[in-house]
Every structure is written in C-alpha cells, then in structure tokens.
Amino acid sequence: DVKVTQSSRYLVKRTGEKVFLECVQDMDHENMFWYRQDPGLGLRLIYFSYDVKMKEKGDIPEGYSVSREKKERFSLILESASTNQTSMYLCASRTSESSYEQYFGPGTRLTVT
Amino acid sequence: AQKVTQAQTEISVVEKEDVTLDCVYETRDTTYYLFWYKQPPSGELVFLIRRNSFDEQNEISGRYSWNFQKSTSSFNFTITASQVVDSAVYFCALDGSGNTGKLIFGQGTTLQVKP
C-alpha cells in the first residue's frame, strides 16, 4: 500500500513564525504536491515537484516555499506565518507515468494565531 | 480557464436511498482526466475513479456508478442504496493541460447518510 505521511496532524503557530510542514512517501513516486483545503473552496494547489530538486508554482504559491532534497520527502515552508494561512494542508504523491491517481496524506490542520 | 463546479454543497439522505452527486467541468483541452475522491471524517482523501476524455463509457463498481457525458461536460457520481459509511465529503477533480498532475478540484459535496 502506498503510504503518504505528514509530520503533524495538528499544529498551532504564532504570526510571524517560520513553519515547516513535512511530507514523506514510501512508494518511490516522482511527483509530489502540496494543497490547502478551505471550506467552500475545495483543494487548491500551492506547489508541486516533478522530481528531486525540482519545483513548480501552483495556483496559490504566495507566502509559501518548498524544498525537495530527497525523492521521498517534500517540505512546505511558511516563511512568516499569517492568520490567513490557517487551513488544512494536504500532501500528495503519484508516479509520473500516465495520469495515475494521486495518493494523499492525512493532512495537517494548521492554526496561526 | 479550467474549472470544476460541484453545485451541491450538502446533501442529506436516509439510508438505502439512491443519491447522485453532480460535477460539471470546463476545459479547452481535448485530452484530460477526471477524478472522484472521497474524504471521510478521518481527513485522508481516498481515490475512487479516474476517467480519461476519450472514454465515455459509464462505469459501475459495486454500489457506485459514474456517468461521463462530454456533450454536457458532466461527470456525475451515483451511490445506490446508500449506507451510513458513505457519509463523507466527495470531490470531483480535473487534470487538463497534458497530464501535469495539477488537479483542479471542485468545492466538494458533503453527503450525510442518516440511519
């Protein structure tokens, strides 16, 4: 079974803090993705990575950055957390072949106070 | 622009009723993929189905069935004889632009199945 794990289920941070959200997958997938989920908006793509050290902006990259130093790990960084970044963050991975489905992690619910 | 619309925000049914979740999409691409995901209360999205734009055959998997109609740009999902365990948020998603993996999600439909 594909396993995508995220470092925390719940996280509370203060405004201005630097926040790291970690995602690890164990299926040797090339592609990895970060989404945020907000009520009424569905999931929106923040950043994605086709392979190690590669990254591409998604639809809402402002205020975020990412790092992919190893194939299995994809980190989302909030350089200076703000209250409007309070959200559910979901990581996903997939193989690069065809258009196979993405496998999602359990999510991190981040609250910025 | 690509877009996915799930007009039904919440649906409530009684167990054993049939229920259809609507999904309408917009894309100019001729090759694209459509997905349905289920998000139970635990939070993790679970893949249900993938359909490419060249395959308009309807699909049935147990109590689940999908109706893909390019003429109306719709990809609707029907649960037959619903069960309490079907209670979840359901998302429809579109992958256009040449299989980039950049999914465009609809807003989601919350389905509540009451016993």
Side-chain angles (χ1 to χ4, degrees), chain B residues 3-8 22-26 92 105-108:
Chain B
K3 187 178 179 182
V4 175
T5 302
Q6 294 178 254
Q8 304 151 310
D22 297 333
C23 173
V24 174
Y25 63 92
E26 296 175 30
C92 180
F105 282 84
Q107 303 91 322

Side-chain angles (χ1 to χ4, degrees), chain B:
Chain B
Q2 300 186 76
K3 187 178 179 182
V4 175
T5 302
Q6 294 178 254
Q8 304 151 310
T9 304
E10 294 183 18
I11 300 176
S12 181
V13 299
V14 176
E15 207 169 19
K16 297 185 183 177
E17 281 187 36
D18 298 347
V19 58
T20 295
L21 283 60
D22 297 333
C23 173
V24 174
Y25 63 92
E26 296 175 30
T27 181
R28 292 182 178 177
D29 296 301
T30 55
T31 302
Y32 52 90
Y33 297 84
L34 295 163
F35 299 80
W36 275 96
Y37 282 88
K38 173 182 179 180
Q39 186 179 40
S42 60
E44 190 169 325
L45 269 75
V46 177
F47 166 78
L48 295 178
I49 190 172
R50 175 186 70 249
R51 178 51 51 100
N52 75 55
S53 51
F54 298 109
D55 183 1
E56 283 194 77
Q57 281 193 336
N58 292 334
E59 180 148 346
I60 298 174
S61 176
R63 296 184 297 107
Y64 295 171
S65 62
W66 290 269
N67 184 315
F68 175 31
Q69 291 197 341
K70 287 177 75 171
S71 60
T72 56
S73 297
S74 64
F75 187 43
N76 296 337
F77 172 33
T78 298
I79 302 175
T80 303
S82 60
Q83 299 177 0
V84 172
V85 292
D86 295 326
S87 297
V89 182
Y90 291 86
F91 290 98
C92 180
L94 166 70
D95 182 355
S97 301
N99 182 29
T100 61
K102 293 176 63 176
L103 293 181
I104 305 296
F105 282 84
Q107 303 91 322
T109 297
T110 300
L111 174 64
Q112 183 181 31
V113 181
K114 298 178 181 178

Side-chain angles (χ1 to χ4, degrees), chain A residues 9 37 94 98-99 101-102, chain B residues 37 39 42 47 50 99 101:
Chain A
R9 288 303 302 268
Q37 180 180 359
R94 70 159 199 175
S98 184
S99 184
E101 64 271 21
Q102 296 181 20
Chain B
Y37 282 88
Q39 186 179 40
S42 60
F47 166 78
R50 175 186 70 249
N99 182 29

